[in-house]
Amino acid sequence: MSTIEKAAKALEIPFIREMSEITQHMWRNGWDERNGGNVSYLLDEQEVAQYFDLNAVLRWIEPAFPVSELAGRYFIVTGSGKYFKNVLDDPAGNLGLVRISQDGTRIELLWGLENEAKPTSELASHFMSHIERLKVDPNHRVVIHNHATHVLAMTFIHDLDEAKFTRTLWEMCTECIVVFPDGIGIIPWMVPGSSEIGRATAEKMREYHAVIWPQHGIFGTGTSMDEAFGLIETIEKAAQIYMLVAHHEIKQRITEQQLIDLAAAFGVTPRPGILSR
Ligand code: 2HA
Ligand code: ZN
């Protein structure tokens, strides 16, 4: 089978198509230069069984730490060092379908990650974030990390206090407070790819759907690809507006009363401590 035929066949599988399309969208948005960014998507066993033999393990991969909380769970993940630009043309070379072994000490590869590729270098942050999000929302499914341009820029010039950062984002677009009433978590700058940054990120995920890594990027989560991607898009849009207006004289803005009215109209509860009342 040619690479083109192989890709076309893989793209008939809904979750492979979703991963391939979302990575392409992010690359086109300029959020995933080179091998930047990673995605992991929790799948149901029945969803996987429709397309794959669950007993056909291609190889085993050692996770950096045991993940017994995720034993028996299925994920499709982006590969370490892989370019989002290339996923659509070669899903099997850039994505992997994996299952966590029953004791949580091994990753069982069922499809993809061809040529001995490994799962994303940020697997610790992904797995730990899935564990924490699932505790607060059993419908949680998706973790996306990317280098959203204006979010990253904003971390250079805005106070990194979570309440202040969130408040600024809410003020940038009318619907922000409706999309992320729980606000934005922010961790200190840390070396990426480590279990430490994974722990720090996941700790924030207990309370937030999105976590910013200063001077690096963002993690967004959701119950579907659309929800996780839509959250990042909305935060990035607000950050873009901030970067466009920050050095200009502001003649009118969204007031605190308007934020309160929006929350009431859309039935959301803003995180306490961000608005003054
Ligand atoms: O290279 O984005 O944070 C992938 C990354 C690491
Ligand atoms: Zn990154």
Side-chain angles (χ1 to χ4, degrees), residues 4-237:
I4 293 172
E5 286 165 340
K6 215 173 103 197
K9 195 157 175 287
L11 291 170
E12 286 172 13
I13 299 171
F15 48 84
I16 295 179
R17 174 166 287 279
E18 275 189 276
M19 288 289 283
S20 304
E21 288 182 344
I22 212 73
T23 46
Q24 182 73 199
H25 287 310
M26 289 196 268
W27 172 65
R28 286 194 185 280
N29 284 350
W31 300 343
D32 297 279
E33 69 290 342
R34 202 174 183 273
N35 62 318
N38 22 78
V39 184
S40 60
Y41 185 4
L42 174 62
L43 304 168
D44 287 336
E45 187 166 76
Q46 306 89 288
E47 216 177 345
V48 177
Q50 278 182 53
Y51 304 98
F52 293 93
D53 175 357
L54 304 184
N55 297 313
V57 176
L58 301 175
R59 61 185 161 95
W60 285 267
I61 300 163
E62 295 277 323
F65 54 94
V67 275
S68 50
E69 295 92 334
L70 298 175
R73 297 277 202 164
Y74 294 79
F75 292 93
I76 185 162
V77 301
T78 50
S80 177
K82 301 300 180 184
Y83 291 26
F84 278 16
K85 173 174 76 68
N86 300 337
V87 179
L88 201 54
D89 284 340
D90 181 16
N94 294 286
L95 303 174
L97 174 66
V98 300
R99 176 176 58 210
I100 312 303
S101 66
Q102 282 307 328
D103 62 1
T105 64
R106 285 196 299 182
I107 297 169
E108 302 167 338
L109 179 67
L110 298 175
W111 169 86
L113 294 180
E114 287 179 348
N115 304 313
E116 298 300 307
K118 295 194 191 76
T120 164
S121 60
E122 301 294 359
L123 202 60
S125 290
H126 281 257
F127 278 170
M128 291 182 198
S129 293
H130 281 292
I131 291 169
E132 293 307 325
R133 287 310 307 166
L134 283 167
K135 285 183 195 162
V136 289
D137 180 3
N139 294 320
H140 159 83
R141 290 287 173 270
V142 177
V143 175
I144 296 176
H145 164 61
N146 66 37
H147 302 164
T149 312
H150 298 87
V151 170
L152 220 150
M154 190 169 159
T155 65
F156 285 80
I157 62 169
H158 195 283
D159 194 320
L160 292 179
D161 174 80
E162 288 166 338
K164 288 182 188 158
F165 205 94
T166 298
R167 170 73 186 251
T168 299
L169 292 174
W170 284 354
E171 288 175 345
M172 291 301 115
C173 308
T174 294
E175 299 195 340
C176 277
I177 194 170
V178 182
V179 177
F180 50 97
D182 56 341
I184 309 295
I186 305 176
I187 61 165
W189 187 94
M190 293 171 82
V191 174
S194 60
S195 295
E196 290 71 40
I197 201 167
R199 264 190 291 277
T201 306
E203 209 169 287
K204 294 292 180 189
M205 288 295 182
R206 289 179 198 157
E207 288 189 56
Y208 298 96
H209 286 85
V211 176
I212 288 175
W213 288 5
Q215 293 85 49
H216 183 144
I218 185 164
F219 269 76
T221 64
T223 58
S224 65
M225 201 62 84
D226 272 355
E227 215 188 72
F229 184 70
L231 174 61
I232 293 178
E233 270 186 308
T234 308
I235 296 165
E236 167 63 8
K237 180 62 175 275

Side-chain angles (χ1 to χ4, degrees), residues 240-275:
Q240 181 173 13
I241 304 299
Y242 178 77
M243 295 308 296
L244 286 169
V245 303
H247 306 102
H248 297 273
E249 183 194 348
I250 307 286
K251 299 207 168 162
Q252 48 278 319
R253 55 172 60 252
I254 301 174
T255 64
E256 178 149 278
Q257 186 58 50
Q258 287 167 339
L259 290 172
I260 292 166
D261 293 347
L262 277 163
F266 287 90
V268 299
T269 309
R271 171 181 295 275
I274 297 176
L275 301 177

